[in-house]
Amino acid sequence: YDQGFLSIIKRMRLGIYLPTLLLIVAVILIDVVRWQVLLRVQGVDLAYGPALALTYGGIFCNSFMLGSTGGDVIKAVLVARRTTRKARAVLTVFLDRVIGLVALIIVAGAVIPFEIDRVEVRRLAWGVYGFLAAFLAGCLVYFHPAFRASRLFRWLMARLHLKVFHELDAAFYAYRGQPRALLIAFGISFVAHMCGIFAIVGFGKALGITEASIAHYFVFFPIIAVISSIPISISGWGVGEAAFIALFGAVGVTEPAAVSLSILSRLSTLLVGLPGGLVFLLGIEDLKVKESEVAEVERAEEGGDG
C-alpha cells in the first residue's frame, strides 16, 4: 500500500536531513557571489553583507509570490533603491536568475547522454536540448552586430518609448564585452547547483526514496525548477508537486513519496530563508526612501546613467 504524507515524514531520518540543510545554506551563500559578479559589470558595487541580506529577503518573499522566483521582484526593488543605476541593478537580479536556470538545464543536458538508454530520460532529451538550442540562438541573434544594425531592431527600439527599456538594452548588451564575467557567473552557478541537487538527493534519502538514482535527480530537478518558476501559482505550489509526481513517478517513486519530497524541499528552503523575514522586520526604516533622495536619483537619471 502507499504510505501517506504524515507516515513518510514521521519516518524521515533526521541524521541525513539535518546535515543536508547546510547544502541549502551553501547554495544561498554561493549565489550571492554570482550576483556580485553581475553587478560589477554594471558598475554597481554592493558589499557581500548587504547583497546577502537582499538575497535572503527575496528568498523569504518567494514563499508568498507567484512562481518560485517571485521574490526577485522585491529583491530588484530593494537593490534599485541603493544605486542611481536603477535599471542596471534591476537587470542583474533577473539575469542572475536566468543564468541560474540555464545552468541547471545545462547540468541536466550533461547527464542525459549517460542515461539515454532509459526511456524516461530519453523522453526529456528533446525538451532539454531544444531549450538550450533556443536560448543559444536567441543570444547569438541579440548580440550579433548585424541584428542590432538591422531595420527590425531599430524599429523595435523606436517603438519602446520608455527610457527604461533603452537602459535595460544597454545594460544587457554590456555583457557582450564581458565574457569572462559571464563564464565566472556560470561556473559559480554549477557549483551552487551541485550543492542544490545533492540537497534534494539527501532529502530523498532521508525520506527513504530508493527508486530514483542520483542521475535521475540531476535530470529531473532542473526541469522541475524551470517549471516551478512559471508564475501561475503562489511560490509554485501545485505546479512543482505535479512535476515531481510526473517525473519521479516515471521511475517508480510513489505519488505520496514524490509529493513529500517536493514539500520537504520547499519547507526546508523556507526554514533556511527565515532570516529573510528578519531583514524586513529589523530593516523597515532602511527600506524607506526620502523624497529628497528620490529627487536626487531622478536628477542623476536625467543626466545619464553614468
Side-chain angles (χ1 to χ4, degrees), residues 141-160 165-166 169-170 173:
V141 171
Y142 175 80
F143 287 113
H144 199 282
F147 171 71
R148 298 185 67 82
S150 66
R151 292 182 179 179
L152 174 61
F153 181 78
R154 292 199 300 270
W155 180 82
L156 289 173
M157 295 305 294
R159 294 299 181 277
L160 300 175
F165 288 113
H166 294 268
D169 171 65
Y173 191 69

Side-chain angles (χ1 to χ4, degrees), residues 51-306:
L52 179 60
L54 295 182
T55 298
Y56 258 116
I59 292 173
F60 180 76
C61 291
N62 275 340
S63 303
F64 313 103
M65 301 188 69
L66 290 177
S68 62
T69 60
D72 288 347
V73 177
I74 302 299
K75 182 179 174 181
V77 170
L78 296 181
V79 72
R81 292 180 175 183
R82 292 173 173 265
T83 177
T84 57
R85 300 189 170 192
K86 292 181 177 294
R88 293 174 180 267
V90 168
L91 172 73
T92 63
V93 175
F94 297 101
L95 182 60
D96 180 63
R97 180 65 67 172
V98 169
I99 288 178
L101 290 176
V102 172
L104 258 178
I105 297 299
I106 291 176
V107 170
V111 176
I112 283 177
F114 299 99
E115 300 290 325
I116 199 65
D117 58 319
R118 299 176 181 269
V119 177
E120 66 275 4
V121 174
R122 193 159 55 245
R123 290 173 179 172
L124 299 172
W126 286 104
V128 170
Y129 293 129
F131 174 88
L132 292 176
F135 178 79
L136 179 60
C139 289
L140 290 175
V141 171
Y142 175 80
F143 287 113
H144 199 282
F147 171 71
R148 298 185 67 82
S150 66
R151 292 182 179 179
L152 174 61
F153 181 78
R154 292 199 300 270
W155 180 82
L156 289 173
M157 295 305 294
R159 294 299 181 277
L160 300 175
H161 300 294
L162 293 179
K163 179 182 177 182
V164 65
F165 288 113
H166 294 268
E167 290 179 349
L168 288 173
D169 171 65
F172 189 61
Y173 191 69
Y175 289 100
R176 182 179 184 274
Q178 298 289 337
R180 182 172 178 273
L182 290 178
L183 288 175
I184 291 175
F186 271 102
I188 294 173
S189 295
F190 292 134
V191 175
H193 292 329
M194 291 298 104
C195 294
I197 294 175
F198 275 115
I200 303 299
V201 173
F203 295 152
K205 298 297 183 183
L207 293 176
I209 296 175
T210 58
E211 297 84 356
S213 66
I214 293 180
H216 284 135
Y217 285 91
F218 271 80
V219 175
F220 294 162
F221 182 69
I223 298 173
I224 292 172
V226 173
I227 293 175
S228 298
S229 67
I230 301 174
I232 58 177
S233 67
I234 300 298
S235 191
W237 280 98
V239 178
E241 282 64 45
F244 266 93
I245 291 172
L247 295 179
F248 282 92
V251 297
V253 178
T254 65
E255 183 173 317
V259 172
S260 298
L261 178 58
S262 177
I263 293 176
L264 181 63
S265 64
R266 290 180 183 279
L267 294 180
S268 299
T269 302
L270 178 60
L271 176 64
V272 173
L274 283 179
L278 297 177
V279 171
F280 287 90
L281 292 175
L282 301 179
I284 293 178
E285 291 300 322
D286 184 53
L287 301 182
K288 295 180 180 179
V289 180
K290 298 178 181 179
E291 292 185 7
S292 59
E293 294 175 326
V294 173
E296 181 180 350
V297 169
E298 290 177 346
R299 286 195 298 272
E301 288 184 334
E302 291 174 358
D305 204 22

